[in-house]
Amino acid sequence: EAQVTQNPRYLITVTGKKLTVTCSQNMNHEYMSWYRQDPGLGLRQIYYSMNVEVTDKGDVPEGYKVSRKEKRNFPLILESPSPNQTSLYFCASSGVGGELFFGEGSRLTVL
Amino acid sequence: QQQVKQSPQSLIVQKGGISIINCAYENTAFDYFPWYQQFPGKGPALLIAIRPDVSEKKEGRFTISFNKSAKQFSLHIMDSQPGDSATYFCAASITNAGKSTFGDGTTLTVKP
């Protein structure tokens, strides 16, 4: 089954404690990206990657890091989380056609 | 600067009615215009999409109308059903750059 898998699905952490949200896709897609979803603000792109070792900033990259060492994986790293990073995060992948395939989402709360 | 503006923010329609959601974009480099449907607790999923070389695309009860000169596109849901109640996002993408920009979303409620 074609899918994008994110973990963890739910996480409560404290300010400053580093965390990583993993993302893996099994569709051999070149493109992967991370979004955050906040009420009334839609989906905002954090980072995206066009292929292995190629990443670029999206619209809201501050406070986040990513890496793309393998084609299937694209982890999102919060080095020092702050309360304003409390949000619902989605990983997505796409092939050359442009359709985005989203994961189920990771709800993060930073206290 | 918001590159994709979506309206309305919320929409209530009676069963069997027509739901219309509008989007406007600014960047003429966008080459792919999808609509995504999201149910509570789930990730968005592609509903229907259009490329700028056509003015309309229909799939079942869902139609995209695209006006390149006005830089606007809209989603029409005919014969709306309670099962269509969801949040809808328009998006605009530059496909060879892997970059997508989303509208703020529209919460659609279809009353039985």
Side-chain angles (χ1 to χ4, degrees):
Chain A
E1 179 188 357
Q3 59 184 7
V4 177
T5 304
Q6 299 178 224
N7 281 295
R9 295 288 314 280
Y10 302 91
L11 179 62
I12 300 174
T13 189
V14 296
T15 298
K17 186 176 182 180
K18 180 179 178 180
L19 68 92
T20 299
V21 185
T22 63
C23 175
S24 180
Q25 52 97 1
N26 64 0
M27 294 167 279
N28 200 36
H29 283 161
E30 291 80 13
Y31 303 120
M32 297 187 74
S33 50
W34 276 102
Y35 296 84
R36 61 178 289 173
Q37 183 176 10
D38 301 289
L41 296 178
L43 290 149
R44 293 181 291 168
Q45 194 175 52
I46 302 170
Y47 269 94
Y48 62 100
S49 169
M50 289 190 285
N51 216 322
V52 175
E53 303 291 2
V54 181
T55 63
D56 208 346
K57 296 177 180 179
D59 299 316
V60 288
E62 295 79 18
Y64 304 95
K65 286 176 57 177
V66 293
S67 68
R68 187 95 180 270
K69 298 189 187 324
E70 302 168 283
K71 193 172 186 178
R72 64 181 291 126
N73 296 322
F74 191 44
L76 179 69
I77 303 158
L78 285 74
E79 293 270 3
S80 182
S82 61
N84 64 12
Q85 293 179 297
T86 292
S87 188
L88 178 60
Y89 291 87
F90 287 100
C91 179
S93 71
S94 63
V96 296
E99 175 185 354
L100 288 168
F101 292 82
F102 286 88
E104 293 282 272
S106 297
R107 185 168 293 282
L108 171 66
T109 300
V110 183
L111 302 175
Chain B
Q1 182 183 11
Q2 187 174 17
Q3 293 196 54
V4 179
K5 294 184 178 180
Q6 182 173 346
S7 63
Q9 187 174 9
S10 63
L11 182 61
I12 299 175
V13 174
Q14 292 293 322
K15 178 181 176 181
I18 302 173
S19 304
I20 302 174
I21 306 171
N22 301 297
C23 281
Y25 64 96
E26 298 170 6
N27 188 346
T28 56
F30 292 134
D31 61 356
Y32 179 68
F33 300 89
W35 286 90
Y36 290 88
Q37 180 186 55
Q38 184 182 30
F39 293 105
K42 298 292 187 182
L46 180 70
L47 183 65
I48 187 173
I50 198 168
R51 297 198 183 272
D53 53 345
V54 298
S55 60
E56 185 175 282
K57 183 174 182 180
K58 183 176 182 180
E59 291 183 358
R61 297 184 293 109
F62 303 93
T63 300
I64 298 180
S65 297
F66 185 81
N67 186 329
K68 188 174 182 178
S69 61
K71 293 189 283 187
Q72 296 174 346
F73 58 110
S74 60
L75 175 69
H76 296 236
I77 305 175
M78 309 299 288
D79 187 26
S80 299
Q81 299 296 312
D84 296 331
S85 297
T87 300
Y88 292 81
F89 292 98
C90 64
S93 304
I94 303 173
T95 51
N96 65 2
K99 188 159 176 59
S100 295
T101 302
F102 284 76
D104 288 348
T106 297
T107 301
L108 171 66
T109 302
V110 181
K111 291 194 173 295

